[in-house]
Amino acid sequence: MNKEFWFIVGSVDFYGKETLAEVHKHAEKMVKYWNENSDFKYPIVLKELGLNSETIENLIGEMNYRKNVLGCIVWMHTFSPAKAWIHGLKKLQKPMLHLATQFNEEIPWETIDMDFMNLNQSAHGDREFGYICKRLQLNNKTVVGFWQDPRVLAQIDEWMNLAKTYEISQKVRVARFGDNMRNVADTEGDKVAAEIQFGWVVDYYGIGDLVHVMEQVSASEVDRVYEKYQTLYSFDQQSHSLEYFEKQVKEQVKMEIALKKFLTDHNYQAFTTNFEDLHGMKQLPGLAVQRLMAEGYGFAGEGDWKTAALDYIFKVLAENEKTGFMEDYTYNLKSGHEYIMGAHMLEVDPCLAEARPKIVVAPLGIGNKEDPARLVF
């Protein structure tokens, strides 16, 4: 389904048909310019003028209903009485950007007359619209400036990306393999409230559900992925025998294949694991998790479903570049050089890697399982 944004221009019908025709003509030129000359990832579609309460309410109601519409850009070309927008804006369920602009970049001092003044009242209309947005306590974005200014276009493009991410956030589904880490507070939360507020669906599965899928992974599937690893990463065998190294790495391959199949089959975009829930597992998922994060899945350890959902959303927002799950670990408190070192015990996102990662097999002091394979960079 092709996504789009709507452009709704506010005016009022007491200006007469000739003026309103000019308003519509200006709006058409603006949309044509944006769609042909900007770097917007999504097209903008001009809708009928918002002239009265009924029309505005119908436009916003239709936008709410249409799944392909990500949000709307609203502009007051002339004066538009803000009370006419109340019923529509109270029903608004999608992102809205208020563009406070003007069709003409400059005031035509040599030719200005009352006809021009009546037609070009954005300075009046946009303030009226801003007032009602504030009274309704809307969380809309406001951008001010000439509609062809590169700085204005950059702000609109950024908002479009956020609006798309908002749509994705409403559909996030998180699979929890095991429960939250025992006795930890910040990984807990109200999953019902999360679905009401953000649209996130958070489901629990026993680790045995994943083990069952792992048992169905064939040796040939494992070998194919292992061969792919050899083209992507360096192998650091260290003091391990080749037989032991391959066995440990292939166990993670099996986890990766099973995890991806489970998440795909059940339509999950994020997941959690917990080193206290590993019954039936030989290793804590490490390399397997890193591989899925590199593909764009959200993840967090110790059953932290909130961070897993946020990780996925940020990955979408940043197009999966230089972003990933991390924990604050330790401080540097030297005056003038304060910072927090981020780290994690195993599942560090390879999207953060500056150089070619290598695969190592090394002990892990938690979980009481075999030494897991992981990517180091």
Side-chain angles (χ1 to χ4, degrees), residues 254-302:
K254 189 186 298 183
M255 292 181 201
E256 177 191 335
I257 295 170
L259 275 166
K260 187 170 183 179
K261 177 175 175 51
F262 191 101
L263 298 173
T264 301
D265 289 350
H266 295 85
N267 189 30
Y268 291 108
Q269 298 79 42
F271 67 104
T272 68
T273 62
N274 181 359
F275 66 85
E276 291 182 326
D277 284 298
L278 293 175
H279 184 71
M281 304 282 283
K282 294 181 179 179
Q283 303 175 25
L284 174 63
L287 173 58
V289 169
Q290 292 175 292
R291 288 269 301 163
L292 290 175
M293 287 193 290
E295 290 190 22
Y297 284 94
F299 173 80
E302 291 89 64

Side-chain angles (χ1 to χ4, degrees), residues 48-194:
E48 63 179 298
L49 300 179
L51 301 179
N52 52 60
S53 180
E54 183 181 6
T55 300
I56 294 165
E57 186 175 0
N58 288 341
L59 281 169
I60 292 177
E62 184 182 359
M63 179 185 69
N64 289 337
Y65 173 76
R66 291 187 177 273
K67 293 183 178 180
N68 66 312
V69 183
L70 297 174
C72 63
I73 300 171
V74 178
W75 169 50
M76 305 302 115
H77 186 301
T78 63
F79 175 67
S80 179
K83 286 178 68 178
W85 289 84
I86 291 174
H87 291 287
L89 292 178
K90 284 178 67 177
K91 292 180 171 62
L92 182 69
Q93 296 175 3
K94 292 187 178 180
M96 180 181 73
L97 182 143
H98 174 203
L99 179 59
T101 189
Q102 182 173 283
F103 184 72
N104 297 284
E105 187 173 17
E106 297 182 88
I107 298 174
W109 290 108
E110 300 298 322
T111 59
I112 193 170
D113 55 19
M114 281 310 300
D115 287 337
F116 179 91
M117 294 289 283
N118 284 335
L119 178 63
N120 296 276
Q121 289 192 50
S122 294
H124 186 179
D126 279 323
R127 278 161 177 75
E128 171 84 352
F129 185 78
Y131 166 79
I132 206 63
C133 289
K134 183 65 175 178
R135 283 294 303 271
L136 293 173
Q137 297 183 323
L138 300 181
N139 292 318
N140 62 289
K141 172 73 173 177
T142 302
V143 174
V144 181
F146 184 54
W147 54 276
Q148 291 184 8
D149 189 320
R151 293 170 296 181
V152 169
L153 298 180
Q155 291 182 72
I156 296 174
D157 186 56
E158 182 181 76
W159 171 80
M160 284 180 164
N161 195 19
L162 286 168
K164 173 61 178 175
T165 307
Y166 172 81
E167 185 215 29
I168 289 170
S169 176
Q170 304 304 302
K171 303 173 184 177
V172 172
R173 290 170 51 82
V174 184
R176 299 166 61 228
F177 295 104
D179 202 356
N180 300 81
M181 182 180 172
R182 291 184 284 277
N183 297 314
V184 175
D186 64 0
T187 57
E188 291 287 354
D190 187 337
K191 293 181 281 296
V192 173

